[in-house]
């Protein structure tokens, strides 16, 4: 048998290329099971991991573990086979070749998940969450993506859309039955309802700050005068000798980056050249880069050598920065430096980490229970909705007719509709599946 | 009986749908047989003597722009013209005309008589004949046959029609007229399933028996505005209507006699129109309302009767007498004809294609009340489109399907074939999501050139439309190009108008402001000699055209928004669902599949509008259609490479 569209047989590696302990290859579609049975020269019980030898004619390919899923109880909803073999690019290539010679074709990016949507296994937002989930680098990322996988954000969008549609129908009734003496929605009631809704939509759009931070992480730039201990702190934070540390001022010239998990978020710390006027052309470029990095940073740590105390230069620099976290260093050398940290003695480090953790949570955390926007497409939908609601509110305020207010309310409803794929769109599909790579 | 010569098109029924269908098919060069029970009943107004109203007025204007006849007939018979909903925005106002019912029917008959290709045959169609899934003609009651490749069924309320007045039942579709009994079976043979609907009409009152001084006068607009672009001015004498009301006494009588109303006794099982309820319905549903407004409308300039708009009823005559005589002004009124309800067969329009052709039966078109609508205007617009599509069918050309962003008629037909209807469907402006694109003043821009390409617009209409579009375009351009700068002189000039500007501002922008008043602006221009170009461009415009230009400027920003929205969903309208597409697929629930199969949507956009087809289902359909397109083009084009 051979499958029609959406059920022809496709194959792709599901794990990243390169050496690894095992590699997983997926086969999906009408012939998936018969192909693996031909390669193994045996039958398989569904949903049981079975150790077997796979071969291509007389030549054997590898010892493998095969799991067969029968339609519709599989990820895609089709017959699906997952083969775990040793993680060699050569072996994977041999297996792909053997499967393709038996009629399967190489899957398109995202095609397994696309089939899952086609077969009603996932909705679009859930499919989108799969990419987010696979991309997750911290526990928080994974938790959020998982929540969207269960349809949380779609449901929130749908409920806002439902209240919009209710208001639209009441405004419409006021037009259709103008002469019949019933009031369907008062001016103040409409205004209040719209304001409430706008707040809710804006609130959801604003979760993007967190969602985005969760997806892409934060940048924390370490600044300070030369020899304030910036590189030492970076090395401590990332747990390796990442930066070269010398007693000589001006050792660090270029930006150095390291990412660590802080408050559930991936935070990239950036070590920078010490801030000073210098005649050294290379160092001068480094100082410029430090300032640029600070301009684009989510967090700024400003370090001060406690043995020198805060200088006029420090005051000047701090005044130019946005919300810097000021940290005194070299506490072991400074008399009375109990507020200062010392990487050498370890004093104050626990407190510093606690403080950074708190700062990250305070600045980027919202109630974790609220539905969270985790990608650009979702954010754009809520922003477009908010923009349309604002226009509608302006119309209401300006005493415009119902027929005009409704124009913007419909746009707002459509914007939310695009979230779940109800409205418009090949663009939505392109955006969602464009983020996939082969094998998902 | 000898058979008739063969025709290209047979139109069954001479009501508002049939008249439009017959004329447009003839205008397209086809020979048309219009079969009607009674020649003089062609164009008859079965119910209220008025054309137009909210959203319905839009339909009439669209009919005019497409070359139909309803607007012309209305102008020839109108005795009171009035734009309704004046307190609301221009897009939702609706022109309406009270008509002399005899003059109206005469006008329709005259317009049809002027078409040499229309032959009127007085008879009843007993059967439609089919062969191999296509229409071959019709058989008449006398046994004779007419051969034709296209048949348009516009039987209104006459299919297996039963009139109710209290406990009395009479077979017939309209007072004193017969019922069409055989045709329903033919429609069943064609595979169509039929349902029952109900509508009603109020009592008619002898005009001489009424005390007018006890009622409120309801005058029309001071200057009657014609519906048709072919009409320069309304020639008929204009008259007033009146208003009165039903009060506690009437409501008591109705409540006491509810068991005698066929609607409530269970004698009528069919569904009536929610938006045009009978008085007994209103008394029950709005029990706390102490009064219901009644419009008293003359049936004609010389006609001896008055029409009681708002008191449609099927209560027995003695109850009608009591209700009528309880109303101020009607204490001694004599009912000339009692109100009655009509029950009739209709075809659930989900069985039709967007061309109004019955699905699976080539050449069989249905239009008007048989499709479950209510109202002359709804019927006429469908008749016109069915006529046009019969033409297109005979020409072997693509049917004309008006998009929802193109015309109210398009909205209506899409609603009918997509949503079906369980009660008589009436047009509302709220049904049109792109309402601002569908103003009365833009009908000629939207539709006439389209109709012209189909060869159905007469030269005179075309000439007038072109001249009008030229005039209004010039005036629009003047508004957009004339700019004011906020210098001291200009600010002083604007002051008496209550206007002020802070930066360079076009007049078009100024017009969009709520405080702008066009007449005082132009008289100010004239007295001060400024903007003579704008004033000159406006001088040549009729008052209707002027309003159109001003409305366009007022709505400009919103029109743009709606155009963008319309464009964004147009992709879905053009994503065709192939006839062989199977809706049974694992991603769709059995319930959704059932709904899709019933409607057989032609495009993804239409599928998405079917109630119960969920967003998730639409996403699955969209992806399936794209996936299958891709597969048809060979594999290897990933989802990421969607068109």
């Amino acid at each position: 048998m051979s499958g029609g569209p959406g059920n022809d047989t496709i194959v792709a590696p599901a794990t990243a290329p390169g050496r690894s302990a095992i590699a997983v290859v997926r086969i999906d579609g009408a012939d998936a099971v018969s192909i693996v049975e031909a390669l193994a020269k045996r039958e398989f019980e569904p949903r049981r991991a079975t150790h077997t030898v796979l071969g291509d004619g007389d030549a054997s390919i590898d010892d493998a573990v095969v799991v067969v899923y029968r339609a519709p109880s599989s990820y895609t909803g089709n017959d699906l086979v997952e083969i775990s073999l040793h993680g060699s690019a050569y072996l994977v290539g041999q297996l792909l070749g053997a499967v393709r010679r038996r009629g399967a074709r190489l899957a398109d990016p995202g095609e397994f998940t696309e089939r899952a949507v086609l077969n009603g296994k996932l909705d679009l937002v859930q499919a989108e969450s799969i990419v987010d989930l696979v991309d997750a680098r911290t526990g928080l990322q994974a938790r959020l993506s998982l929540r969207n996988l269960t349809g949380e954000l779609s449901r929130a969008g749908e409920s806002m859309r439902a209240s919009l549609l209710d208001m639209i129908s009441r405004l419409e009734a006021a037009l259709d039955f103008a002469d019949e003496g019933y009031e369907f929605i008062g001016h103040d009631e409409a205004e209040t309802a719209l304001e409430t809704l706008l707040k809710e939509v804006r609130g959801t759009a604003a979760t993007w700050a967190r969602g985005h931070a969760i997806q892409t992480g934060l940048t924390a730039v370490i600044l300070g005068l030369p020899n304030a201990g910036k590189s030492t702190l970076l090395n401590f934070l990332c747990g390796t000798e990442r930066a070269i540390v010398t007693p000589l001022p001006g050792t660090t010239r270029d930006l150095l980056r390291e990412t660590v998990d802080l408050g559930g978020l991936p935070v990239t710390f950036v070590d920078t050249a010490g801030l000073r006027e210098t005649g050294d052309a290379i160092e001068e470029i480094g100082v410029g880069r430090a300032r640029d990095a600070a301009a684009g940073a989510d967090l700024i740590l400003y370090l001060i050598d406690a043995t020198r105390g805060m200088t006029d230069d420090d005051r000047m620099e701090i005044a130019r920065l946005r919300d810097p976290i000021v940290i005194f260093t070299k506490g072991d050398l400074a008399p009375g430096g109990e507020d200062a940290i010392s990487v050498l003695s370890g004093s104050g480090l626990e407190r510093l980490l606690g403080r950074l953790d708190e700062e990250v949570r305070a600045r980027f955390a919202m109630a974790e229970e609220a539905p969270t926007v985790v990608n650009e497409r979702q954010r754009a939908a809520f922003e477009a909705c908010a923009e349309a609601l604002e226009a509608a509110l302006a119309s209401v305020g300006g005493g415009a007719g119902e027929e005009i207010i409704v124009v913007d309310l419909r746009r707002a409803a459509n914007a939310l509709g695009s979230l779940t794929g109800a409205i418009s769109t090949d663009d939505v599909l392109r955006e969602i599946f464009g983020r996939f790579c082969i094998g998902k | 009986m000898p058979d008739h010569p063969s025709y290209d098109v047979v139109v069954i029924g001479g009501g508002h749908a049939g008249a439009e269908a017959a004329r447009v098919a003839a205008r397209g060069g086809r020979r048309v047989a219009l079969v009607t029970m009674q020649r003089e009943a062609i164009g008859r107004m079965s119910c209220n003597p008025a054309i137009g109203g909210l959203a319905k007025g839009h339909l009439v204007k669209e009919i005019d722009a497409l070359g139909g006849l309803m607007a012309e007939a209305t102008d020839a018979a109108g005795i009171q013209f009035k734009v309704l909903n004046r307190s609301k925005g221009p897009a939702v106002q609706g022109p309406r005309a009270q008509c002399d019912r005899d003059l109206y029917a005469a006008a329709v008959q005259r317009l049809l008589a002027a078409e040499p290709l229309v032959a009127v045959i007085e008879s009843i169609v007993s059967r439609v004949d089919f062969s191999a899934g296509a229409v071959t003609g019709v058989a008449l009651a006398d046994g004779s046959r007419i051969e034709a490749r296209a048949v348009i069924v516009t039987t209104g309320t006459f299919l297996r029609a039963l009139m109710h007045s209290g406990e009395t039942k009479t077979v017939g579709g309209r007072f004193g007229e017969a019922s069409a009994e055989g045709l329903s079976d033919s429609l069943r043979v064609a595979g169509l399933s039929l349902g029952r609907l109900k509508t009603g009409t109020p009592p008619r009152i002898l005009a001489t028996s009424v005390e007018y001084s006890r009622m409120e006068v309801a005058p029309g607009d001071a200057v009657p505005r014609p519906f048709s672009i072919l009409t320069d001015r309304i020639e008929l004498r204009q008259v007033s209507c009146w208003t009165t009301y039903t009060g506690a006494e009437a409501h008591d009588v109705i409540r006491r006699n509810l068991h005698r109303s066929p609607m409530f006794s269970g004698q009528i099982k069919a569904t009536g129109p929610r938006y045009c309820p009978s008085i007994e319905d209103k008394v029950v549903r709005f029990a706390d309302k102490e009064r219901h407004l009644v419009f008293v409308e003359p049936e004609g300039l010389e006609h001896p009767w008055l029409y009681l708009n708002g008191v449609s009823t099927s209560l027995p005559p003695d109850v009608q007498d009591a209700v009528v005589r309880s109303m101020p002004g009607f204490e001694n009124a004599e009912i000339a004809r009692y109100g009655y309800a009509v029950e009739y067969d209709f075809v659930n329009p989900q069985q039709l294609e967007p061309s109004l052709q019955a699905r699976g039966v080539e050449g069989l078109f249905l239009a008007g009340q048989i499709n479950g609508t209510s109202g002359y205007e709804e019927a006429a617009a469908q008749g016109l489109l069915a006529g046009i599509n019969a033409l297109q069918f005979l020409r072997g050309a693509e049917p004309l399907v008006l998009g929802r962003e193109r015309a109210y008629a398009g909205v209506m037909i899409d609603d009918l074939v997509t949503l079906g209807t369980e009660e008589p469907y009436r047009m509302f402006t709220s049904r049109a999501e792109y309402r601002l694109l569908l103003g009365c003043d833009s009908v000629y821009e939207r539709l006439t050139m389209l109709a012209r390409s189909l060869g159905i617009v007469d030269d005179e209409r075309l000439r007038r439309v072109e001249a009008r579009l030229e005039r209004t375009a010039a005036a629009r351009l003047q508004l957009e190009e004339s700019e004011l700068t906020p210098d001291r002189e200009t600010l002083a000039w604007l002051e008496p108008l209550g206007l002020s500007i802070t930066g360079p501002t076009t007049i078009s922008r100024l017009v969009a402001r709520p405080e702008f008043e066009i007449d005082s602006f132009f008289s100010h221009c004239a007295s001060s000699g400024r903007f003579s170009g704008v004033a000159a461009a406006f001088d040549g415009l009729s008052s209707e055209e002027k309003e159109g230009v001003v409305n366009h400027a007022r709505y400009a920003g919103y029109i743009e928004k709606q155009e963008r929205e319309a464009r964004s969903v147009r992709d879905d309208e053009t994503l065709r669902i192939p006839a062989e597409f199977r809706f049974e697929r694992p991603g769709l629930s059995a319930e959704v599949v059932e709904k899709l199969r019933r409607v057989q949507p032609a495009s993804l956009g239409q599928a998405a509008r079917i109630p119960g087809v969920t967003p998730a289902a639409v996403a699955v359909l969209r992806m399936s259609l794209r996936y299958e397109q891709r597969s048809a083009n060979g594999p290897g084009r990933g989802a990421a490479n969607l068109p």
Side-chain angles (χ1 to χ4, degrees), chain B residues 82 212 214-219 240-245 292-297 309 327-330:
Chain B
K82 187 171 190 167
Y212 294 92
R214 295 184 40 80
M215 299 187 280
E216 298 272 333
V217 181
S240 278
C241 297
W242 298 267
T243 61
T244 183
Y245 54 87
H292 290 286
L293 193 63
V294 177
F295 285 91
V296 180
E297 303 171 347
N309 192 343
M327 302 189 311
F330 288 76

Side-chain angles (χ1 to χ4, degrees), chain A residues 297-319:
Chain A
D298 298 303
L299 274 180
I300 296 168
L301 311 185
Y302 190 87
L303 271 45
I304 298 173
D305 183 343
T307 59
R308 280 184 302 191
M310 191 178 292
T311 64
D312 285 348
D313 284 346
D314 286 320
R315 283 189 195 92
M316 211 175 65
E317 293 293 346
I318 288 171

Side-chain angles (χ1 to χ4, degrees), chain A residues 6 105 108 111 114-115 117-120 172 175-176 178 395 402-404 407-408 411 414 422 425-426 429-430, chain B residues 85 88-89 430 435-436 555 558 561 565 586-587 615 620 622-624 626-627 630 635 637-639 642-643:
Chain A
R105 66 176 169 84
D108 292 330
E111 197 168 3
E114 189 177 9
R115 287 179 169 199
V117 176
L118 284 176
N119 288 331
E172 293 285 8
L175 289 173
D176 285 336
S395 298
E402 290 92 345
E403 83 279 19
I404 286 183
V407 171
D408 288 315
R411 287 172 51 232
N414 288 352
T425 191
D426 287 341
L429 294 188
R430 207 171 11 234
Chain B
N85 239 2
K88 301 285 178 184
S430 59
R435 179 166 47 205
L436 299 190
Y555 280 139
Y558 296 93
K561 284 181 186 177
E565 292 285 304
V620 167
R622 182 195 317 282
M623 290 176 64
S624 303
R626 290 300 188 205
Y627 200 96
R630 241 161 57 217
R637 295 193 54 226
L642 283 163

